PDB file of all heavy atoms in Angstrom:
ATOM      1  N   VAL B  64     -16.172  -8.462  -4.310  1.00  0.00           N
ATOM      2  CA  VAL B  64     -15.592  -7.616  -3.274  1.00  0.00           C
ATOM      3  C   VAL B  64     -14.830  -8.447  -2.273  1.00  0.00           C
ATOM      4  O   VAL B  64     -15.359  -9.487  -1.867  1.00  0.00           O
ATOM      5  CB  VAL B  64     -16.691  -6.702  -2.596  1.00  0.00           C
ATOM      6  CG1 VAL B  64     -16.064  -5.899  -1.476  1.00  0.00           C
ATOM      7  CG2 VAL B  64     -17.345  -5.797  -3.613  1.00  0.00           C
ATOM      8  N   ILE B  65     -13.676  -7.997  -1.867  1.00  0.00           N
ATOM      9  CA  ILE B  65     -12.979  -8.548  -0.735  1.00  0.00           C
ATOM     10  C   ILE B  65     -12.955  -7.509   0.366  1.00  0.00           C
ATOM     11  O   ILE B  65     -12.493  -6.383   0.098  1.00  0.00           O
ATOM     12  CB  ILE B  65     -11.534  -9.001  -1.075  1.00  0.00           C
ATOM     13  CG1 ILE B  65     -11.571 -10.113  -2.194  1.00  0.00           C
ATOM     14  CG2 ILE B  65     -10.795  -9.515   0.173  1.00  0.00           C
ATOM     15  CD1 ILE B  65     -10.217 -10.560  -2.639  1.00  0.00           C
ATOM     16  N   GLU B  66     -13.447  -7.857   1.513  1.00  0.00           N
ATOM     17  CA  GLU B  66     -13.521  -6.859   2.644  1.00  0.00           C
ATOM     18  C   GLU B  66     -12.468  -7.218   3.671  1.00  0.00           C
ATOM     19  O   GLU B  66     -12.512  -8.310   4.237  1.00  0.00           O
ATOM     20  CB  GLU B  66     -14.924  -6.913   3.283  1.00  0.00           C
ATOM     21  CG  GLU B  66     -16.010  -6.336   2.445  1.00  0.00           C
ATOM     22  CD  GLU B  66     -15.930  -4.825   2.402  1.00  0.00           C
ATOM     23  OE1 GLU B  66     -15.164  -4.246   3.190  1.00  0.00           O
ATOM     24  OE2 GLU B  66     -16.637  -4.199   1.549  1.00  0.00           O
ATOM     25  N   GLY B  67     -11.605  -6.269   3.967  1.00  0.00           N
ATOM     26  CA  GLY B  67     -10.599  -6.535   5.008  1.00  0.00           C
ATOM     27  C   GLY B  67     -10.969  -5.786   6.298  1.00  0.00           C
ATOM     28  O   GLY B  67     -11.282  -4.633   6.246  1.00  0.00           O
ATOM     29  N   ASP B  68     -10.942  -6.496   7.393  1.00  0.00           N
ATOM     30  CA  ASP B  68     -11.161  -5.818   8.670  1.00  0.00           C
ATOM     31  C   ASP B  68     -10.238  -6.461   9.725  1.00  0.00           C
ATOM     32  O   ASP B  68      -9.890  -7.639   9.584  1.00  0.00           O
ATOM     33  CB  ASP B  68     -12.597  -5.997   9.127  1.00  0.00           C
ATOM     34  CG  ASP B  68     -13.479  -4.769   8.784  1.00  0.00           C
ATOM     35  OD1 ASP B  68     -13.156  -3.682   9.184  1.00  0.00           O
ATOM     36  OD2 ASP B  68     -14.433  -4.979   7.997  1.00  0.00           O
ATOM     37  N   THR B  69      -9.870  -5.682  10.743  1.00  0.00           N
ATOM     38  CA  THR B  69      -8.995  -6.272  11.738  1.00  0.00           C
ATOM     39  C   THR B  69      -9.806  -7.142  12.694  1.00  0.00           C
ATOM     40  O   THR B  69      -9.256  -7.943  13.417  1.00  0.00           O
ATOM     41  CB  THR B  69      -8.285  -5.171  12.594  1.00  0.00           C
ATOM     42  OG1 THR B  69      -9.288  -4.406  13.176  1.00  0.00           O
ATOM     43  CG2 THR B  69      -7.418  -4.331  11.728  1.00  0.00           C
ATOM     44  N   ALA B  70     -11.107  -6.902  12.766  1.00  0.00           N
ATOM     45  CA  ALA B  70     -11.912  -7.685  13.731  1.00  0.00           C
ATOM     46  C   ALA B  70     -12.781  -8.715  12.986  1.00  0.00           C
ATOM     47  O   ALA B  70     -13.058  -8.567  11.793  1.00  0.00           O
ATOM     48  CB  ALA B  70     -12.829  -6.718  14.502  1.00  0.00           C
ATOM     49  N   PRO B  71     -13.203  -9.776  13.697  1.00  0.00           N
ATOM     50  CA  PRO B  71     -14.033 -10.809  13.043  1.00  0.00           C
ATOM     51  C   PRO B  71     -15.449 -10.383  12.930  1.00  0.00           C
ATOM     52  O   PRO B  71     -16.340 -10.923  13.541  1.00  0.00           O
ATOM     53  CB  PRO B  71     -13.856 -12.034  14.006  1.00  0.00           C
ATOM     54  CG  PRO B  71     -13.543 -11.402  15.342  1.00  0.00           C
ATOM     55  CD  PRO B  71     -12.843 -10.135  15.056  1.00  0.00           C
ATOM     56  N   VAL B  72     -15.669  -9.399  12.061  1.00  0.00           N
ATOM     57  CA  VAL B  72     -17.020  -8.923  11.766  1.00  0.00           C
ATOM     58  C   VAL B  72     -17.311  -9.121  10.342  1.00  0.00           C
ATOM     59  O   VAL B  72     -16.395  -9.142   9.511  1.00  0.00           O
ATOM     60  CB  VAL B  72     -17.229  -7.436  12.204  1.00  0.00           C
ATOM     61  CG1 VAL B  72     -17.153  -7.234  13.692  1.00  0.00           C
ATOM     62  CG2 VAL B  72     -16.187  -6.548  11.478  1.00  0.00           C
ATOM     63  N   THR B  73     -18.585  -9.132   9.948  1.00  0.00           N
ATOM     64  CA  THR B  73     -18.925  -9.247   8.492  1.00  0.00           C
ATOM     65  C   THR B  73     -19.812  -8.089   8.087  1.00  0.00           C
ATOM     66  O   THR B  73     -20.500  -8.170   7.118  1.00  0.00           O
ATOM     67  CB  THR B  73     -19.633 -10.582   8.188  1.00  0.00           C
ATOM     68  OG1 THR B  73     -20.786 -10.706   9.036  1.00  0.00           O
ATOM     69  CG2 THR B  73     -18.678 -11.753   8.436  1.00  0.00           C
ATOM     70  N   ILE B  74     -19.788  -6.957   8.870  1.00  0.00           N
ATOM     71  CA  ILE B  74     -20.690  -5.865   8.613  1.00  0.00           C
ATOM     72  C   ILE B  74     -20.566  -5.377   7.176  1.00  0.00           C
ATOM     73  O   ILE B  74     -21.616  -5.219   6.501  1.00  0.00           O
ATOM     74  CB  ILE B  74     -20.339  -4.707   9.607  1.00  0.00           C
ATOM     75  CG1 ILE B  74     -20.473  -5.166  11.054  1.00  0.00           C
ATOM     76  CG2 ILE B  74     -21.276  -3.471   9.327  1.00  0.00           C
ATOM     77  CD1 ILE B  74     -19.973  -4.136  12.059  1.00  0.00           C
ATOM     78  N   ASP B  75     -19.355  -5.122   6.696  1.00  0.00           N
ATOM     79  CA  ASP B  75     -19.171  -4.523   5.390  1.00  0.00           C
ATOM     80  C   ASP B  75     -19.480  -5.569   4.277  1.00  0.00           C
ATOM     81  O   ASP B  75     -20.150  -5.299   3.296  1.00  0.00           O
ATOM     82  CB  ASP B  75     -17.758  -4.010   5.238  1.00  0.00           C
ATOM     83  CG  ASP B  75     -17.572  -2.671   6.011  1.00  0.00           C
ATOM     84  OD1 ASP B  75     -18.532  -2.169   6.523  1.00  0.00           O
ATOM     85  OD2 ASP B  75     -16.393  -2.149   6.027  1.00  0.00           O
ATOM     86  N   ALA B  76     -19.041  -6.830   4.508  1.00  0.00           N
ATOM     87  CA  ALA B  76     -19.291  -7.868   3.502  1.00  0.00           C
ATOM     88  C   ALA B  76     -20.781  -8.120   3.386  1.00  0.00           C
ATOM     89  O   ALA B  76     -21.333  -8.315   2.269  1.00  0.00           O
ATOM     90  CB  ALA B  76     -18.603  -9.150   3.889  1.00  0.00           C
ATOM     91  N   ASP B  77     -21.519  -8.100   4.490  1.00  0.00           N
ATOM     92  CA  ASP B  77     -22.959  -8.314   4.434  1.00  0.00           C
ATOM     93  C   ASP B  77     -23.665  -7.251   3.576  1.00  0.00           C
ATOM     94  O   ASP B  77     -24.641  -7.595   2.852  1.00  0.00           O
ATOM     95  CB  ASP B  77     -23.554  -8.311   5.853  1.00  0.00           C
ATOM     96  CG  ASP B  77     -23.135  -9.507   6.678  1.00  0.00           C
ATOM     97  OD1 ASP B  77     -22.589 -10.475   6.021  1.00  0.00           O
ATOM     98  OD2 ASP B  77     -23.281  -9.489   7.897  1.00  0.00           O
TER      99      ASP B  77
END
Side-chain angles (χ1 to χ4, degrees):
Chain B
V64 177
I65 297 176
E66 288 288 349
D68 265 300
T69 59
V72 292
T73 56
I74 301 170
D75 286 352
D77 290 346

